Amino acid sequence: MTDMKVPEVKTPAEARVFLMLQGPHGPFFWSLSKMLRAAGSTVWRVGFNAGDRAFWFSAKSFLPYTEPADDWPDRFAEIVREKSVTDIVLYGDTRPVHALAIEKAREMGLTIHVFEEGYIRPYWVTYERDGSNGNSTLMALSVAEMRAALDRIDHDNIEPPALWGDMRQHIFYGALYHWFVMFRNSAFKHYRGHRELPVTKEFSLYFKRLIMMPQHWLSRAWHTRSILSAGHPFHIALLQLEHDTSFQVHSPYSTMPEFIADVIEGFARGAPQHHHLVFKAHPLENDRRNLRHEIRRIAAEFGVEHRVHHVRGGKLQRLLHNARSAVTVNSTAGQQVLSLGIPLRILGLAVYDKPEFVSHQTLEAFFNQPDRPDTRAYRDYRQFLLETSQVPGGFYSKRGRRQLMRLVVDLMLSEDAPDVALLSGTAPPRQPLRLVK
């Protein structure tokens, strides 16, 4: 009997070549690359500045992009051909280098993996194919289609721990990233960030935010206590980061004061005179614009300065649990509003903009008598997210990254996107989530 040599068969993972572009600040993309390599895939990373390079710990697989921005689409196509790339991985699909790469990737038939902050926060992150936020496939899906897909599976809705989060690590890695760009970026002379502020200003704002955290906590606690103890009915306006691409690309506004003015005008015209309005800052707001001053100025113009308040970022629950309604552009915090059955009005594009549970009244009518959301429809929508685009874990803390790796690599190596698999009835069962405080 002759010995027979078993033919070597490549697994699907071994046939994949991933090209990573820009990721969240910190080591998440490096951790992800190690797990993809462990599965048998090849991974390369394009770096656009010294911050990208600082968190990538392999010179052999790092591809510095040092040419002018106009040359990027052609260089991207060259890299794809040279490295036989099958997949690209990126964080946020609207920053210019990513939008141009996605356009080329579609022409070349690549699979596009998009990461974003969680649509449901803070315990989940978002993973989708092709696009996120206003470019997500969720935009075209109806609640009825989601319900039909959920009817084919068993599911268990598990709530996250109230104290989970990695905000300190997020701020720390943001400051460290900008330090490298500010002091170690000589090799990337053509680099221009996707935000308007120079990197020196970005770094100083992150650093100031880090050292001012205790003072901001005291300010937030005092203002929150004052609002709740006064006993007035109040509405919440959820502020966002003005430079965030979801605000810039998927909303009708270019500045946050434009949104603030619309909200205050609607409140002044429609809300009962004993009602108050609370503007809640984004947790990562770093005062690049003095929003407290803008709110006071605009409120005075409409004669409601004594009924309008501003509270710094941080936990939303205490205020939200007592609010009559909420309004935002397209903040992911809108999902927290809906989970509590609180009326919500949005002024931009958001994946949760479904007629069953998001009001489309005028702001004046909304502040006077807001439409009540269909909470059963929202629960079904939320469950669809948890079964598809929402992956338990986080980008910034070590514990969060470990949790994320347990599922996300398998999702990336799957032939179908998570939502496509669920809608077609081919989705594998997800491991039950056991959350520990």
Side-chain angles (χ1 to χ4, degrees):
M1 182 175 179
T2 59
D3 291 336
M4 295 184 64
K5 185 177 181 181
V6 178
E8 183 179 345
V9 179
K10 283 191 173 183
T11 67
E14 289 175 310
R16 307 282 282 275
V17 179
F18 289 87
L19 180 66
M20 293 184 167
L21 303 184
Q22 289 195 294
H25 297 152
F28 168 66
F29 264 18
W30 175 250
S31 299
L32 180 61
S33 74
K34 290 196 296 182
M35 190 67 77
L36 287 168
R37 289 192 185 98
S41 300
T42 302
V43 185
W44 299 90
R45 171 72 188 271
V46 177
F48 297 88
N49 58 51
D52 295 338
R53 184 174 58 192
F55 294 107
W56 193 261
F57 307 107
S58 168
K60 286 185 178 180
S61 58
F62 185 78
L63 307 173
Y65 181 75
T66 58
E67 292 88 350
D70 291 344
D71 297 339
W72 165 238
D74 291 337
R75 178 58 184 144
F76 171 79
E78 288 176 5
I79 293 172
V80 169
R81 288 190 291 266
E82 290 170 2
K83 306 299 184 184
S84 301
V85 171
T86 60
D87 302 66
I88 64 168
V89 187
L90 47 89
Y91 171 71
D93 62 343
T94 54
R95 62 180 68 181
V97 294
H98 288 170
L100 292 169
I102 288 172
E103 186 177 344
K104 280 286 184 182
R106 287 179 179 146
E107 293 174 6
M108 303 176 81
L110 306 183
T111 300
I112 302 163
H113 306 268
V114 181
F115 285 93
E116 256 293 0
E117 302 294 340
Y119 293 148
I120 303 174
R121 299 184 193 177
Y123 194 74
W124 289 272
V125 304
T126 296
Y127 165 73
E128 295 184 275
R129 303 272 178 96
D130 296 323
S132 64
N133 292 309
N135 297 323
S136 170
T137 56
L138 289 166
M139 298 296 295
L141 281 176
S142 68
V143 173
E145 290 172 306
M146 297 177 185
R147 280 172 165 163
L150 291 171
D151 284 344
R152 293 193 289 267
I153 64 170
D154 293 325
H155 48 79
D156 181 18
N157 195 353
I158 300 176
E159 294 297 324
L163 300 179
W164 174 268
D166 48 14
M167 187 59 66
R168 287 190 299 273
Q169 293 94 326
H170 192 164
I171 295 171
F172 169 77
Y173 282 130
L176 186 58
Y177 179 92
H178 286 96
W179 183 90
F180 276 104
V181 177
M182 187 165 59
F183 294 112
R184 295 287 187 270
N185 217 48
S186 58
F188 301 88
K189 61 181 180 180
H190 294 293
Y191 171 72
R192 297 291 182 274
H194 62 283
R195 298 173 179 172
E196 294 181 0
L197 290 181
V199 70
T200 51
K201 183 66 173 177
E202 287 274 5
F203 171 76
S204 65
L205 288 171
Y206 267 104
F207 184 73
K208 180 181 177 182
R209 170 77 176 156
L210 197 60
I211 63 174
M212 293 290 287
M213 286 183 76
Q215 182 175 329
H216 290 172
W217 181 89
L218 289 172
S219 169
R220 179 170 63 251
W222 187 85
H223 282 99
T224 299
R225 183 181 180 86
S226 297
I227 292 164
L228 294 177
S229 63
H232 296 289
F234 66 88
H235 310 260
I236 286 187
L238 302 170
L239 296 174
Q240 296 170 238
L241 298 178
E242 185 175 282
H243 59 270
D244 195 304
T245 52
S246 65
F247 177 83
Q248 291 294 328
V249 176
H250 301 304
S251 87
Y253 304 108
S254 58
T255 69
M256 194 55 64
E258 294 171 9
F259 164 72
I260 291 169
D262 278 357
V263 172
I264 290 178
E265 181 178 6
F267 172 79
R269 295 182 185 280
Q273 293 189 17
H274 63 293
H275 284 208
H276 285 228
L277 175 63
V278 178
F279 284 92
K280 182 69 166 58
H282 188 279
L284 290 174
E285 179 58 57
N286 54 19
D287 297 330
R288 62 178 59 205
R289 187 191 294 273
N290 191 336
L291 293 178
R292 186 186 294 273
H293 170 77
E294 294 290 333
I295 290 166
R296 288 173 175 169
R297 177 184 64 80
I298 296 169
E301 290 178 4
F302 287 94
V304 291
E305 61 270 29
H306 300 301
R307 297 164 54 203
V308 177
H309 314 272
H310 172 266
V311 177
R312 286 193 173 274
K315 297 290 184 183
L316 181 60
Q317 289 94 323
R318 286 193 67 201
L319 284 171
L320 194 55
H321 276 271
N322 292 277
R324 297 292 299 270
S325 74
V327 61
T328 186
V329 177
N330 53 13
S331 171
T332 55
Q335 303 252 18
Q336 290 179 253
V337 176
L338 293 169
S339 68
L340 295 172
I342 296 171
L344 176 67
R345 177 73 166 91
I346 68 171
L347 301 176
L349 294 177
V351 293
Y352 54 82
D353 185 11
K354 306 298 179 185
E356 290 86 352
F357 41 78
V358 172
S359 170
H360 290 87
Q361 299 168 274
T362 65
L363 281 173
E364 183 176 345
F366 179 78
F367 281 119
N368 182 264
Q369 188 65 51
D371 288 338
R372 185 173 180 172
D374 181 342
T375 54
R376 286 175 295 182
Y378 176 71
R379 285 196 295 269
D380 291 335
Y381 166 85
R382 185 179 187 274
Q383 189 62 46
F384 185 87
L385 294 190
L386 292 174
E387 295 288 345
T388 55
S389 65
Q390 302 306 285
V391 187
F395 295 129
Y396 305 103
S397 72
K398 185 178 293 186
R399 179 184 174 206
R401 291 194 298 274
R402 284 199 303 264
Q403 179 69 50
L404 186 52
M405 294 303 162
R406 294 189 175 106
L407 180 59
V408 76
V409 172
D410 287 342
L411 294 177
M412 295 175 71
L413 294 174
S414 175
E415 181 178 350
D416 291 327
D419 57 340
V420 172
L422 187 62
L423 290 165
S424 64
T426 62
R430 287 202 175 187
Q431 182 179 357
L433 184 59
R434 296 291 178 258
L435 303 181
V436 181
K437 293 188 180 182

